[in-house]
Amino acid sequence: MKFAAFAALALATSTSAFAPPKSARATTQLAGAKEDFGKSVLAGAFALTLAGGVLAQPADAITKSELNELSYLQVKGTGLANRCPEVVGEGSITPKSGSKLVDMCIEPKAWAVEEEIGKGGKTEKKFVNSKVMTRQTYTLDGVEGVLSTDGGKIVFSEKEGIDYAATTVQLPGGERVPFLFTVKDLVATGNGGTFKPGFQMGGDFSTPSYRTGLFLDPKGRGGTTGYDMAVALPGLQSGEEGDDELFNENNKVFDVTQGRIEMEVNKVNTDESEIGGVFVATSLSDTDMGSKVPKKVLTKGIFFAHVE
């Protein structure tokens, strides 16, 4: 009922997808950012997702069976490899014991980054529409996991697949925000025991560091290799005074943060055991291995999965 109220309110106010709505080791600020994720942000954004028309299937949408009939050369250079199939039908599927979700495809359609907006001498945090700068390699595909039940509700536990994609978006002012779009270790709990239009599920997932320990910054510093300080600035890194300013950049960390995704099924093909719908996810951006405070990134789009 709360979800319906959200959707009605969003539809009445706007059809826009995103209507107006350094780490002292980044530990304290990063922890605060994690806690501030807020399920309320997801709930409101999810309602706007359903009310707005930006996630409507394109006129040339293609089903899984049609996609399987195409050869490599027919797909090459068309962008279809970055697209999720469409599901036709409004049936229902009740998973049996031992069932799995396979061939899950999660395709982002729009992005927004939380920024502090100043107005009338005051500042407030709002999500600002952003433009994707990454080529068509940001869709997750082949994701799969097991289905179980808890209190009569479906629980999906992600296990493997192409479950992460390095993505960069650009704010209106030109600032670029890199982040890892992922659903690693997702455990999503549903609101019922049957996949049908209106079925919702959501849960938390882990977001690994955008960069690994072998990455070297412009001054040759890295997490597991490279210099342990900026060689050109020894006087500022004596270990006695002045080191605080460069401590976070010298001491790289592999930050693993937490994100959240909410999904709703709106199409079910009982004959093909396929489900499709929309999603809204929030995650934290790159921390540059501990030297920057991450931004909150809101991603929304469509998904497809096969019940096996």
Side-chain angles (χ1 to χ4, degrees):
M1 297 298 292
K2 293 181 179 179
F3 184 81
F6 270 126
L9 178 59
L11 183 60
T13 55
S14 173
T15 58
S16 171
F18 299 109
K22 268 174 191 150
S23 154
R25 189 79 168 185
T27 308
T28 304
Q29 291 167 309
L30 189 57
K34 289 180 185 177
E35 295 175 2
D36 184 44
F37 248 11
K39 297 181 182 179
S40 58
V41 173
L42 278 175
F46 199 25
L48 289 171
T49 297
L50 298 176
V54 296
L55 297 185
Q57 290 287 355
D60 58 345
I62 186 171
T63 64
K64 182 66 172 178
S65 59
E66 292 171 338
L67 190 59
N68 289 339
E69 293 174 358
L70 300 178
S71 68
Y72 167 76
L73 291 178
Q74 288 175 311
V75 174
K76 181 182 178 182
T78 65
L80 286 176
N82 194 54
R83 294 254 312 270
C84 286
E86 178 191 15
V87 176
V88 178
E90 296 186 355
S92 63
I93 300 174
T94 301
K96 300 177 181 178
S97 176
S99 294
K100 298 193 301 182
L101 271 189
V102 299
D103 296 332
M104 176 176 273
C105 174
I106 304 176
E107 178 189 353
K109 292 285 191 179
W111 300 260
V113 178
E114 187 178 61
E115 286 283 271
E116 287 193 355
I117 307 298
K119 186 177 181 180
K122 298 181 180 179
T123 61
E124 59 178 330
K125 291 184 177 181
K126 287 186 177 181
F127 281 101
V128 179
N129 288 348
S130 305
K131 180 173 105 175
V132 67
M133 304 305 294
T134 305
R135 292 189 178 185
Q136 296 187 344
T137 56
Y138 48 77
T139 291
L140 309 184
D141 197 16
V143 177
E144 63 179 73
V146 297
L147 292 173
S148 58
T149 56
D150 182 10
K153 297 180 179 179
I154 294 174
V155 178
F156 169 66
S157 301
E158 190 268 343
K159 296 299 182 184
E160 58 183 331
I162 304 176
D163 54 6
Y164 69 94
T167 309
T168 299
V169 295
Q170 180 171 291
L171 292 166
E175 179 184 358
R176 294 190 175 182
V177 180
F179 71 101
L180 201 68
F181 177 55
T182 180
V183 290
K184 278 187 174 295
D185 303 323
L186 168 66
V187 177
T189 303
N191 61 355
T194 301
F195 290 118
K196 58 184 179 180
F199 173 85
Q200 300 169 29
M201 64 178 181
D204 298 331
F205 56 82
S206 298
T207 304
S209 173
Y210 182 82
R211 304 192 188 283
T212 65
L214 296 178
F215 172 79
L216 296 179
D217 70 9
K219 295 191 179 298
R221 299 167 295 190
T224 59
T225 185
Y227 296 112
D228 58 2
M229 65 173 63
V231 179
L233 302 171
L236 293 178
Q237 302 160 94
S238 61
E240 298 178 2
E241 287 186 32
D243 191 39
D244 290 344
E245 183 178 348
L246 297 175
F247 181 83
N248 294 331
E249 293 190 21
N250 287 339
N251 297 274
K252 308 295 186 182
V253 294
F254 189 90
D255 286 319
V256 178
T257 58
Q258 181 176 284
R260 185 170 180 84
I261 187 170
E262 299 288 344
M263 314 170 84
E264 176 166 326
V265 174
N266 55 26
K267 295 290 182 180
V268 178
N269 187 327
T270 307
D271 295 334
E272 300 291 339
S273 296
E274 297 174 346
I275 63 173
V278 295
F279 77 89
V280 171
T282 55
S283 60
L284 294 178
S285 68
D286 174 39
T287 66
D288 202 11
M289 301 194 76
S291 64
K292 295 180 181 178
V293 177
K295 297 178 182 289
K296 189 184 298 183
V297 181
L298 182 68
T299 307
K300 69 178 192 172
I302 63 175
F303 74 91
F304 164 92
H306 179 80
V307 182
E308 187 178 79

